[in-house]
Amino acid sequence: MKKVSENKCFGGVQGVYTHASDACSCDMTFGLFLPEEAEDGPVPVLWYLSGLTCTHENAMVKAGAQEWAAEYGIALVFPDTSPRGEGVADDEAYDLGQGAGFYVNATQEPWSPHFQMWDYVAEELPKIVTANFAVDEARQSIMGHSMGGHGALTMAMQLQGRFRSVSAFAPIANPTRSDWGRKQLSAYLGEDEMAWAGHDASLLMRAEGFDGPILIDQGSEDQFIDLLKPEVLAEAMVARRQNGRLRMQPGYDHSYFFVASFMADHVAFHAETLHRR
């Protein structure tokens, strides 16, 4: 692991680091905010998964999460959204390839050699973070935006017991029935739709639910709302009688202005579970 940068931030440190990834077979970059409390021992950790076209940097500089994480003594991890570099497959479209990993393990060529983002985020990066920084692996929560909201919800439901809480901003909620999903899932996982089900938050909610609380915010003026399909996830949450809230926020769109507007609510939501012994 190599340090790219470290900056003082709200009493803590915002760092950026690179490392050689076994899962993705390339170098990967991530951001990590450590609050001041990490100087005295391990702190709880909140994962933030970003959306299409993003890198580790978008949420790190736009979401305003560090201020609230510092208030509650919580670490923030900002993974990248895909493998990158020479020899890594890509596509001319913004919503496939580099910047659009969809948090799955690709089984299809040309994606399978590098696009193992599920293993990277769920297994490899947590081991690197806990081995090198003062974070408490027993106290973890996860959140994300758009494609990252899809990733956060699916990981929380697939990895029961790993995360104490999960939240999402405008998640891609039903990708098996959306153009933001069917295109990518068929490219990465093949045409067998049975293989897609474990990466659809609405299907997982009906089948499994989540063993903790959920918070979802969706902007009513989101320009992509028909692709996101929040109504399908809302129906699944009601059918499951899930402990959770899905809030429609009047006038907000899909941008980081929306994310930053409700970040304080989300960090406070996670802090309640992360500091519960």
Side-chain angles (χ1 to χ4, degrees):
M1 192 183 70
K2 297 179 181 178
K3 178 177 70 176
V4 177
S5 63
E6 287 183 343
N7 299 96
K8 191 77 171 178
C9 182
F10 292 103
V13 176
Q14 175 61 64
V16 176
Y17 309 92
T18 63
H19 68 99
S21 167
D22 291 333
C24 295
S25 299
C26 63
D27 287 346
M28 297 292 288
T29 302
F30 67 95
L32 173 68
F33 171 73
L34 286 175
E36 189 174 8
E37 288 84 347
E39 296 177 6
D40 300 320
V43 296
V45 58
L46 177 57
W47 295 79
Y48 185 101
L49 305 187
S50 288
L52 286 168
T53 75
C54 291
T55 69
H56 68 281
E57 191 175 35
N58 292 70
M60 191 178 80
V61 300
K62 293 181 179 180
Q66 292 91 338
E67 177 180 3
W68 309 110
E71 180 174 331
Y72 294 105
I74 294 171
L76 297 168
V77 184
F78 303 98
D80 202 347
T81 55
S82 77
R84 301 177 193 274
E86 186 177 352
V88 176
D90 200 8
D91 192 89
E92 292 181 357
Y94 76 94
D95 58 353
L96 187 67
Q98 295 185 34
F102 259 75
Y103 304 102
V104 303
N105 285 339
T107 60
Q108 307 299 302
E109 295 289 342
W111 313 107
S112 55
H114 298 284
F115 281 72
Q116 303 296 309
M117 287 301 294
W118 181 280
D119 282 353
Y120 176 70
V121 174
E123 301 298 334
E124 184 178 25
L125 187 55
K127 292 176 182 176
I128 291 171
V129 170
T130 55
N132 290 279
F133 301 98
V135 300
D136 184 355
E137 63 181 332
R139 292 185 290 161
Q140 299 187 62
S141 290
I142 191 168
M143 63 177 170
H145 172 228
S146 193
M147 179 185 74
H150 139 80
L153 290 166
T154 56
M155 285 190 177
M157 285 186 274
Q158 288 271 41
L159 303 172
Q160 296 283 359
R162 169 81 64 88
F163 302 108
R164 295 190 177 188
S165 51
V166 57
S167 72
F169 301 91
I172 300 174
N174 189 206
T176 62
R177 293 294 176 265
S178 168
D179 288 342
W180 267 5
R182 294 187 63 83
K183 171 184 177 179
Q184 295 83 359
L185 294 175
S186 61
Y188 295 142
L189 302 178
E191 297 299 330
D192 181 6
E193 296 190 17
M194 293 294 291
W196 304 358
H199 298 286
D200 186 308
S202 296
L203 297 181
L204 286 170
M205 178 58 65
R206 285 190 174 273
E208 304 289 342
F210 176 59
D211 59 356
I214 294 177
L215 173 62
I216 297 169
D217 277 314
Q218 171 66 59
S220 67
E221 300 304 311
D222 191 317
Q223 59 271 46
F224 305 113
I225 196 166
D226 290 338
L227 294 167
L228 303 173
K229 299 187 178 298
E231 68 280 1
V232 180
L233 180 57
E235 291 169 2
M237 289 174 68
V238 171
R240 170 58 58 179
R241 290 164 173 75
Q242 173 67 44
N243 174 12
R245 290 174 287 165
L246 194 157
R247 310 186 301 189
M248 188 64 67
Q249 301 292 1
Y252 285 89
D253 59 16
H254 198 71
S255 70
Y256 264 94
F257 296 111
F258 159 62
V259 173
S261 296
F262 299 100
M263 181 57 70
D265 288 358
H266 283 244
V267 178
F269 163 77
H270 291 295
E272 184 177 350
T273 61
L274 287 170
H275 285 298
R276 188 180 300 153
R277 293 290 182 177

